[in-house]
Amino acid sequence: MATEVSPHRTDLPNHSIQSLDQFPSPLSRHFSPRAELDQLTASQKETILNEEESRLIFVADPSHTLVNARFDIAGNSIRTAKYSLLTFLPRNLFEQFHRVAYVYFLGIAILNQLPQLAVFGRGASIFPLAVVLLVTAVKDAYEDIRRHRSDRTENHRLASVFANGQFVSKKWKEIEVGDVVKVSADSSLPADMVLLSTSDPSGVAYVQTVNLDGESNLKTRYAKRETVIAAGETERLIGAVIRCEKPNRNIYGFQAHLEIDESRVSLGPSNIVLRCCELKNTEWAIGVVVYAGNETKAMLNNSGAPSKRSRLETHMNRETVYLSAILIVLCSFVSLFAGIWLAMHRDDLDLAQFFHKKDYNVGGEANYNYSVLGVQVFFTFLMSVIIFQIMIPISLYISMELVRLGQAYFMAGDNNLCDETPNSRFQCKALNINEDLGQIKYVFSDKTGTMTQNKMEFRYVSINGVDYRSPVKRVEGSDLFFMPKLPVETDPKLLRDIMGDIEHRERIKDFFLALACCNTIVPLLFDDETSNTKLVDYQGESPDEQALVSAAAAYGFVLVERTSGHIVIDVLEERQSYNVLGLHEFDSDRKRMSVIIGCPDKSVKLFVKGADSSMFTVLDKTLNLDVTHLTETHLQNYSNVGLRTLVIGMRDLTSEEFEEWQSAYERASTALLGRGTQLRAIASKMESDLVLLGATGIEDKLQQGVPEAIEKLRQAGIKVWVLTGDKQETAISIGFSCRLLTGEMNQIVINANSRDSCRKSLADAVALSEKMMRNSGEQQALIIDGNSLVYVLETELEEQLFKVATRCDVVLCCRVAPLQKAGIVALIKNRTDDMTLAIGDGANDVSMIQMADVGIGISGQEGRQAVMASDFAMAQFRFLVPLLLVHGHWNYQRMAYMILYNFYRNAVYVFVLFWYVLYTAFTLTNAINEWSAVLYSVVYTAVPTIVVAILDKDLSRSTLMNHPQLYGSGQREEKYNITLFIEFMLDSLWQSLVIFFLPYLAYRHTDVDWSGLGDLWILGIVILVNLNLAIDVVRWNWVTHAAIWGSIAATWICVIVIDSIWMLPGFWAIYHMMATWRFWFCLLGAIIVGLIPHFVGKAFLEHTMPSDIQIAREVEKFNNPTGTTSMPRVLGESVTTDIEVQMIQQQLQQSQS
Amino acid sequence: MSSSLASSSNLDGSDDTSPQQKQSKKPKYSRFTQQELPACKPLLTPGIVIGIFALVAVLFIPIGLASLSASEAVVEVIDRYDADCVPNDMHGKELDFIQNSSTNKTCTRRLTIPKTMKSPVHIYYELDNFYQNHRRYVKSRSDKQLLQPSKEAETKVCAPEGNTPDGKPIVPCGLIAWSLFNDTYQFSINSDSIQVNKKNIAWASDRSHKFSKDVYPKNFQKGALIGGGKLNESIPLSEQEDLIVWMRTAALPTFRKLYGRIEKDLNANEEITVVIENNYNTYSFGGQKKLVLSTATWIGGKNNFLGVAYLTVGGLCLSLVLAFIVLYLFKPRY
């Protein structure tokens, strides 16, 4: 169980990891998270339950509890719904207006309501914002109604509550803190409760926490001896008082003590059962409610992951600032010239018919709607802001959300991102960083469970210096009565040796006894229908433990039953009962766990298992050194083939030793201060002078396709770093087997035990790597362990490590603690602009997942903390390749284009308005009907860009998968950069000039009316921007066709409809326009002339300076017209992009000739 | 319980915590969900690029030639009269001249027809520097009032020409109507007067749907400042075609409006006498007034720009064809 361990956590400086409170202590793998956290919370915080920080609960006396509460105590009614009927509108609006963009548009809409500034009609100015708000509000309301409904069912469930001497039925929402509740088997727990008694006389209850953290195995919870009472005598509990900490989110921590019958009992996380869990394998359990309703740990944990912002969006905000600058320049220009015009025509304005400055109704002296020049200029400025506001595209924000939704839909629906196993679907948990997947440069991967299957197989075993390493026979259909559910290969020689009469037979027996009892596994028995054997299913929190217990069972030491005080082991078909006298849970400082067992022959034994590094220091040195040496050699061999190793030891205890331990243990476990530290000290004291029994090697098989996936990622220019808790040899061997390391690579190993030695080896490494850099071509790998990292991270040595690590092709970090994983991610993230991705499956990866730009959780064997903290969740490591190379590439390319296009599209429109303003005496008249203006970015041009951004593919899946180098486009930010932004803006400037001035010159000196020319302009703009998009579309499927041509048709229809409303000044104008040839020629001419630069530029650049993507696209089209078969692989691992280009060109040439 | 813990951000619809939905297997396969819809992937191959430019050239050059020739076929006579129609003694005092109701505003102009003008000859007046698209101006009208007799009091948007000083609604109200152009022209050849048809100069749609035959002008042009023409209060708005034409506000500060039609051919070198009542005040803001006689072809009035533009673009595309052929020949990709 103890192969992956975290060294010296307490030595670590405190990292500032976000939301540390959510996962207060990132867990080390494979140990009961509960145990470790208990220990951690105790050792790290050492909080005392003082009066201010705790709550007092009078058992079975809720009213008393409430009266004496220092703080409000929540009832058990839960409320996950955000809104009520009354609060919906204000709260929802408030939440929506957290977006700066919305505030901007609201500000503009309000400006427009001032009569002086009313540019648009009331309705028209509010319309776009209202649409956006309404859509979101409807979505929120729908979700909230669902929450209301589930809240109601939840609150109306029934529970059995102790009142007036008997248990009565009560609704969940009426349960109060202090109530004593009885729960029967297979039912859910209504609140967080301290266990008082259970149907098991020793007070054990099993709970399943699948609804809480997704772990489906059973967890053991205990009622304290003092409270275990018969069901009928609940009254005796009245008067007991529990003092516990205030409600918090830590589901693995709980601190409290119970005062009953004058004595004081301390309570820990193993004494509490949480809401959302189900009681299993226990007939009934009685508990007292300590946290209820929204204060339960489940509800406190019920909040989303912290939101991240994508790289592209950050860049987009930068460009938005530039656009605002352009906007301000335009507005200043207009207002300045309006001022000049007014000043120059000051004398004319009284009489000019179109101005009519004086209001003769009030005597002809006062001005009508005209103020001092300065004020006029100011008003003009504000009005021009209102008119040109669309320069900042409001629709872009909602489009981006829709596009991400669409992209997430396709990612979740992709058959290549999931396998046949249940619960393996790809999940998009964060919706705003889809496009970051296309720009990743560093992948930080956990090993166990992420790259490996985390299905532990017991392989080799070394007992008393004898290596048993030929497991062949499967114990199928054997004569054994008990069968472990997990099939185990056994070594026939060892099977013989157990039965045989050899000198170390006792050692072998003790060894397997240790495997069978030194754990926290719960056995469940099933009848096997096919034979008369019984199947034993071992439920536990660590796959290593399951493998060990199953192995013991296969060799005839079957753990059959576990209660809190004793275990039953079927030793070679003889049922024996052992008393569990004490248990020292695993912690990452000791890196071992131990049990004290009272054997049937009244002897007391201590069994210890742990990591080899920690075990060899506590062995009895006076004993057989040969065995120690042999075992060490075996361990070396095991880890060289990639096995996870464990060392088992034991010691016989004298009764004095035991009694001394017992009293010390009692003292420590009721201690209020430093309980964890004291318990650890006692454990360390006991675990000494051990007899070495043997060692085990457990295999954790690589997941399918991992080596290929890693190779693809590296071809794509992504650096893969592996961070593991395994020991160095294991890590290196896995590194070779997943082709991360190769024989030609120079390995730089840093293993330091002190700051100075660490400094020295780092300096050497820097020199070495520099030297190897000069002899170019040599690949380097850096292997560094957690001990060294302690001295490196967060010190001045970080810089050097960064230097070495970035020069290396591969970095392997072994024996790293969870926080160190995050520290390594931060090492890269803080020093470069490169995007980082962290992938992991366990609770110990949470900090790393949250630190990286993109966090991916593997929904595997090991709980769901990683998945819950992640941005994306999937089932297997190899899915990372299609996720990044295909979806990441698509997402990035689509989103980048969409943002640029939206900027361009709105700029064309604004510039056309601007040119017209120059011909209206700078008075901001808008020839384009105000409804068309409003509909422009919401209806006329919104759908095609969204559809294209969801559906367009620049390259097919197979091309992207076969040529990972194409991923570089995203890493180099080829699709969105300031140059492209400027190009798009220049294009919009040109197109607006054409759209405006071509009709202007054609219609000068004619009797064309205001609305008619406006209709021509809006149609011209819409068709032009849609065709501009059409030129850039790569794949035309029917949806794209429908969206683009449909939008143009819809615009036309809208213009016609608007011009058919007699109320509007443009009544019938479009019909008159459409009846003239001049209109059609203007439209055609403006569109063609507008598109020429874009088209010429595209054709020219694609021919003279084709990008990788362009070449691949051509190959795809000419080599593979159907797109169904995959392209031949032509590219080697080290081929650079340039070479790739050449090769593809050759290929293309051949195919054409 | 699970539903209360469900996070709404899960797109695939499966709750993290829901055991029932945990069983979901692979998503259903369809070409849509796998993004494998049949699609066409056009590429800008040399052939396509050259083809497109050639097509544009082939399309644009004939259109350019046709519209240029159509435009050239239009005969147009333009006479600017605003300055010349002020008596010599009033030069420099144009404002006094035009504002004084007692001065003689009649002015006679002689126009020579350069080429035969086929009937119908359109008579336009052209104003310059007159911002019919000014923000104050375009908004100052009440479409409801024009169409519905009951809504005659809806003059709020028309200020400051909405109501008379004593509060009576003006029909038609607003700056646009108030500033109605009121110069008149009488044409004659050798003292034979030429009939000007002023029927149907406004859009039929305006006459039937924007200006009612039941609404009559009221309190119009009675204010302290006279903006322009007056209206006969016994003729309904739908028949006041000059007003309807005027109220179709122009898009640009230089604009023409239809005055009437001469339904008679005008022969080349004929001299036409025009008697102008020069009433309209453009002197206050320095605007020009022109009288325009023009025939029309299928392209409309005279405007060479479109034809020239089309020929230019067509020529440009031809040269692009050549440029790309050169590029593809001399710098081939492969």
Side-chain angles (χ1 to χ4, degrees), chain A residues 296-445:
Chain A
T296 55
K297 290 178 187 287
M299 300 305 292
L300 288 172
N301 271 293
N302 189 11
S303 63
S307 71
K308 294 175 179 173
R309 177 179 279 179
S310 80
R311 166 77 43 101
L312 210 50
E313 203 172 333
T314 318
H315 285 336
M316 184 188 101
N317 288 340
R318 180 186 70 198
E319 266 72 63
T320 312
V321 173
Y322 297 156
L323 287 176
S324 323
I326 298 178
L327 176 70
I328 288 170
V329 167
L330 291 186
C331 295
S332 311
F333 185 89
V334 169
S335 52
L336 182 71
F337 276 81
I340 292 174
W341 189 89
L342 284 173
M344 284 175 61
H345 295 82
R346 186 188 298 270
D347 302 331
D348 311 341
L349 297 179
D350 287 352
L351 291 177
Q353 285 92 332
F354 55 85
F355 203 91
H356 201 305
K357 183 169 155 191
K358 299 270 184 238
D359 188 350
Y360 291 90
N361 282 358
V362 287
E365 290 309 310
N367 288 332
Y368 170 74
N369 221 351
Y370 181 85
S371 330
V372 197
L373 189 63
V375 179
Q376 286 287 346
V377 169
F378 178 66
F379 281 155
T380 310
F381 184 83
L382 291 184
M383 277 160 68
S384 52
V385 172
I386 298 174
I387 289 273
F388 300 146
Q389 56 165 313
I390 201 174
M391 193 83 187
I392 319 278
I394 186 174
S395 57
L396 179 56
Y397 293 90
I398 195 130
S399 306
M400 281 172 79
E401 284 197 8
L402 290 173
V403 165
R404 283 173 177 150
L405 221 67
Q407 291 177 342
Y409 168 79
F410 282 120
M411 285 195 278
D414 190 343
N415 279 337
N416 295 309
L417 291 182
C418 63
D419 53 21
E420 294 296 342
T421 56
N423 194 22
S424 69
R425 280 185 74 160
F426 182 84
Q427 289 177 40
C428 255
K429 303 182 73 81
L431 266 188
N432 35 6
I433 56 169
N434 288 351
E435 56 272 17
D436 276 353
L437 291 172
Q439 295 185 283
I440 301 297
K441 272 199 182 154
Y442 285 91
V443 167
F444 299 92
S445 175

Side-chain angles (χ1 to χ4, degrees), chain A residues 154 368 916 924-925 1081 1114, chain B residues 1 133 135 251 310 333-334:
Chain A
E154 191 75 358
Y368 170 74
Y916 186 60
L924 296 160
T925 321
F1081 288 170
E1114 287 168 18
Chain B
M1 188 68 233
N133 58 15
R135 170 163 292 280
Y310 264 75
R333 267 276 285 289
Y334 314 112

